[in-house]
Amino acid sequence: MASFTRKAIMEAFLGLLEERPLSKITVKDIVEDCGINRNTFYYHFEDIPALVEAISREMVDRLIQDGTQIGSLEECLNVAIGFVLRYRRPALHIYCSANRDIYERYLMKMCDYVVRRMFDTAFDMSGMSELDREVLIQAHRCQCFGLFVEWLDGGLKDDFKASMLRLCELRRGTLERIVEQAGGKYTGQIQ
């Protein structure tokens, strides 16, 4: 029952975030929406920021458990873009709130996951030093994160995906050369 109630609270909150900014949502709004009392809300969540964190963590964990194969920079960006677009309005409302740091922390975790999956799928990095591997992952994770923050700052405009795919076209072959220079091998997974 507790799991059902917790999920109902999260769904009610996401529904309210579709309609209005986070600063305009109260615990009273959430409990009225799901038909529970305030004590039940506080049994599951300390406050609204704890609810935001729980939802963010659960969404990223769901993405990670999905185990999607990511064999190219394009696929990497498609997974990340799809993740953000699935919850476009709530993402913007949380990002533009005082709880932005929570959203950014989980966005970074999502970027780390998709970048690592890309490298693990597309490259044999066994001949590469651990330092070089982590430097490459860090650089691409931070680039991915920066691109997403800029997209969020711009209000999640629709042209982002086309711009990112064009960037991938322009960079084609660059990542393969960098990995090979560091002692890794391209496995032929990137199309």
Side-chain angles (χ1 to χ4, degrees), residues 87-104:
Y87 302 99
R88 176 186 220 120
R89 290 191 72 135
L92 276 173
H93 286 149
I94 293 170
Y95 181 75
C96 295
S97 75
N99 296 297
R100 178 182 186 156
D101 62 321
I102 296 170
Y103 188 83
E104 286 180 342

Side-chain angles (χ1 to χ4, degrees), residues 74-97:
E74 291 91 338
E75 288 176 17
C76 173
L77 288 168
N78 278 331
V79 168
I81 290 167
F83 179 76
V84 172
L85 287 178
R86 200 169 315 138
Y87 302 99
R88 176 186 220 120
R89 290 191 72 135
L92 276 173
H93 286 149
I94 293 170
Y95 181 75
C96 295
S97 75

Side-chain angles (χ1 to χ4, degrees), residues 4-17:
F4 175 79
T5 304
R6 181 178 169 88
K7 184 175 175 158
I9 292 168
M10 292 174 152
E11 288 175 3
F13 182 62
L14 286 171
L16 291 168
L17 278 172

Side-chain angles (χ1 to χ4, degrees), residues 73 111 138-148 167 171:
L73 196 52
C111 290
Q138 179 186 25
H140 285 82
R141 175 185 61 232
C142 290
Q143 182 180 31
C144 182
F145 178 80
L147 291 167
F148 276 90
L167 176 63
R171 294 182 57 173

Side-chain angles (χ1 to χ4, degrees), residues 93-161:
H93 286 149
I94 293 170
Y95 181 75
C96 295
S97 75
N99 296 297
R100 178 182 186 156
D101 62 321
I102 296 170
Y103 188 83
E104 286 180 342
R105 186 170 55 247
Y106 286 96
L107 179 62
M108 180 62 88
K109 185 176 178 182
M110 185 258 319
C111 290
D112 182 71
Y113 168 74
V114 296
V115 167
R116 285 183 188 279
R117 290 291 297 182
M118 178 195 65
F119 275 107
D120 291 345
T121 302
F123 298 100
D124 173 5
M125 298 173 76
S126 60
M128 184 184 300
S129 74
E130 188 62 28
L131 176 63
D132 285 352
R133 180 181 190 280
E134 287 305 312
V135 165
L136 282 171
I137 289 171
Q138 179 186 25
H140 285 82
R141 175 185 61 232
C142 290
Q143 182 180 31
C144 182
F145 178 80
L147 291 167
F148 276 90
V149 166
E150 186 172 302
W151 184 35
L152 284 158
D153 284 341
L156 298 176
K157 300 291 187 245
D158 292 330
D159 59 349
F160 181 74
K161 187 172 183 176

